[in-house]
Amino acid sequence: MQAKRWGAWILLLGMLVVCAGCGSDDEDANGADFTGEIGESASAMITAADGGTLQTESGSVLLTVPAGALAEDIELSVETLAVDEMPDAANLGSYVFEFGPDGTEFSEAVTLELAFAGSVPEGKQAMLAVLADGAWETITGSALADGKVTGAVNHFSRFVIRFTDEGSEITTEDQICQDMPFTACGGDIVGEWEVETLCLSGTLVGGDNPWADLDESCQDTVFGMELTWGGTITLNGDGTFSQYLTSVVNYFFEFDQDCLTYLAESAEQDFGDTPEAVCQYASEESDMGPCIYADQVCSCETAPSDDPYIIDMSGTYSTDGNNLEVTSEGNTSSVEYCRDGDYLLAEWAMSGDEDGLTDYLILKKK
């Protein structure tokens, strides 16, 4: 195994923190198209037993609370705020609505509808967003239909309609790894982040093919590895960071019919006298299994290791525009990054890697 190469790459992975699915601020919000007016407010007594609605006179806001969502009867309120001093103001498609009492939580989701009277910029989509730790977090599942953007929320804060890149909503790992566009946009990354997934543009080759020297018929044997990442990274407001990351490795192998036939005919060891028997031997008598023989190929995949690789380190970081620079134990790495709501993603090519793989480490705000 190429231990030095992998060790260096894993260290680099551990030091790079980053964002998901963002684009640049290339459209100006048009306040003249917003429904309602700054300073407009409304309140309503909502009962725990029956639920109820909170609505502004202009129709800019409609909040529907189902029965049982509140622990007790409470008067809910909303106030309309300007967008000028808000984060990412150029991508906001409505006034900002502050709900109270601040911190109110619901035991089941309530429905929030914000009226939308403007137009969605090309390449964007209109979604609800909530302000958390100084940044807008997109509300998954929210969407524009019939002149309003609707979504489910479970607590009170400030809400707004926000334009995000089409396809940037993260719902599944496949969408994260295959469909998400990435444009460096910088942003506030202070906070605690969990590893969501690691995406790769190709197969990680674990080292030289250990069967290549046996015979030319085994030259095309596939030998690779998969990495599963977990853990957290904390970026503090004073420019320091700490992280505890884990990585579990499992290997996979594919032997074609030519190599299996060669192994079956080998006199050096009794692997079996047919390709199927060789595959069964690999599955039952080696640490490569379990293996499956199908379409004249023996495919094996090892179980994930019980001993994960751990990166436990701390250091300092700084941001400059879209660039993040991290320093720890005398090593400095930098990468372009972007934050979109509660996700971070960065894109880079593995330095010095002849395969030229592109990697994405995606984190989610805790």
Side-chain angles (χ1 to χ4, degrees):
M1 299 293 295
Q2 298 172 341
K4 290 185 178 179
R5 168 183 163 190
W6 281 106
W9 180 71
I10 288 174
L11 177 63
L12 176 61
L13 259 180
M15 293 175 66
L16 296 179
V17 201
V18 291
C19 132
C22 329
S24 59
D25 296 343
D26 56 3
E27 295 286 345
D28 291 330
N30 184 356
D33 291 332
F34 293 172
T35 300
E37 61 182 15
I38 298 170
E40 181 182 24
S41 62
S43 62
M45 177 61 69
I46 309 297
T47 65
D50 299 325
T53 60
L54 171 63
Q55 186 172 15
T56 56
E57 184 176 353
S58 67
S60 58
V61 172
L62 174 60
L63 181 78
T64 303
V65 182
L70 286 168
E72 59 183 0
D73 298 351
I74 189 172
E75 185 176 21
L76 303 182
S77 64
V78 60
E79 183 179 1
T80 307
L81 307 178
V83 304
D84 297 347
E85 301 302 322
M86 298 294 173
D88 196 24
N91 274 327
L92 302 186
S94 72
Y95 291 122
V96 175
F97 301 96
E98 183 170 38
F99 289 82
D102 184 44
T104 299
E105 296 186 355
F106 302 93
S107 58
E108 58 182 280
V110 302
T111 302
L112 175 61
E113 300 175 11
L114 298 185
F116 181 69
S119 59
V120 180
E122 183 178 355
K124 301 283 187 176
Q125 58 189 353
M127 300 182 70
L128 294 181
V130 59
L131 190 64
D133 298 326
W136 295 110
E137 295 182 1
T138 300
I139 296 177
T140 301
S142 59
L144 171 64
D146 301 324
K148 57 190 177 184
V149 181
T150 304
V153 302
N154 57 20
H155 70 283
F156 271 175
S157 180
R158 293 180 175 181
F159 293 88
V160 74
I161 295 173
R162 181 169 177 261
F163 301 129
T164 66
D165 288 344
E166 289 183 348
S168 67
E169 181 188 357
I170 300 173
T171 56
T172 67
E173 186 165 306
D174 285 344
Q175 185 176 358
I176 292 174
C177 294
Q178 297 176 19
D179 300 335
M180 185 180 308
F182 171 68
T183 301
C185 68
D188 181 12
I189 57 175
V190 173
E192 187 174 6
W193 303 86
E194 287 184 305
V195 174
E196 182 80 357
T197 189
L198 170 69
C199 303
L200 301 171
S201 65
T203 298
L204 289 178
V205 177
D208 295 333
N209 179 356
W211 295 274
D213 294 336
L214 293 176
D215 188 81
E216 63 180 15
S217 59
C218 293
Q219 292 290 327
D220 294 329
T221 298
V222 174
F223 171 45
M225 63 172 65
E226 295 176 342
L227 304 175
T228 302
W229 284 85
T232 61
I233 299 176
T234 301
L235 295 120
N236 302 307
D238 62 1
T240 62
F241 81 92
S242 61
Q243 64 181 27
Y244 185 86
L245 301 181
T246 62
S247 176
V248 175
V249 181
N250 65 301
Y251 299 95
F252 57 90
F253 314 86
E254 289 184 4
F255 302 89
D256 61 18
Q257 186 78 352
D258 290 341
C259 186
L260 292 171
T261 299
Y262 168 78
L263 294 172
E265 296 174 350
S266 173
E268 297 182 5
Q269 187 167 347
D270 184 14
F271 295 117
D273 54 7
T274 65
E276 295 92 331
V278 173
C279 189
Q280 183 176 358
Y281 179 95
S283 183
E284 298 176 354
E285 304 296 333
S286 74
D287 57 4
M288 293 188 297
C291 305
I292 297 175
Y293 182 80
D295 298 326
Q296 298 186 325
V297 174
C298 180
S299 302
C300 307
E301 184 171 353
T302 65
S305 170
D306 292 331
D307 184 21
Y309 183 90
I310 297 175
I311 302 174
D312 187 2
M313 62 194 310
S314 60
T316 60
Y317 76 94
S318 62
T319 58
D320 181 12
N322 300 336
N323 189 71
L324 168 68
E325 185 173 275
V326 180
T327 300
S328 179
E329 299 178 355
N331 297 309
T332 298
S333 299
S334 62
V335 65
E336 288 191 323
Y337 77 99
C338 180
R339 172 177 178 171
D340 183 20
D342 57 353
Y343 286 93
L344 293 173
L345 177 146
E347 176 183 44
W348 71 96
M350 288 171 61
S351 177
D353 193 288
E354 61 271 20
D355 300 318
L357 300 180
T358 300
D359 315 294
Y360 303 83
L361 179 63
I362 296 178
L363 307 171
K364 185 175 182 180
K365 191 74 176 287
K366 289 193 66 174

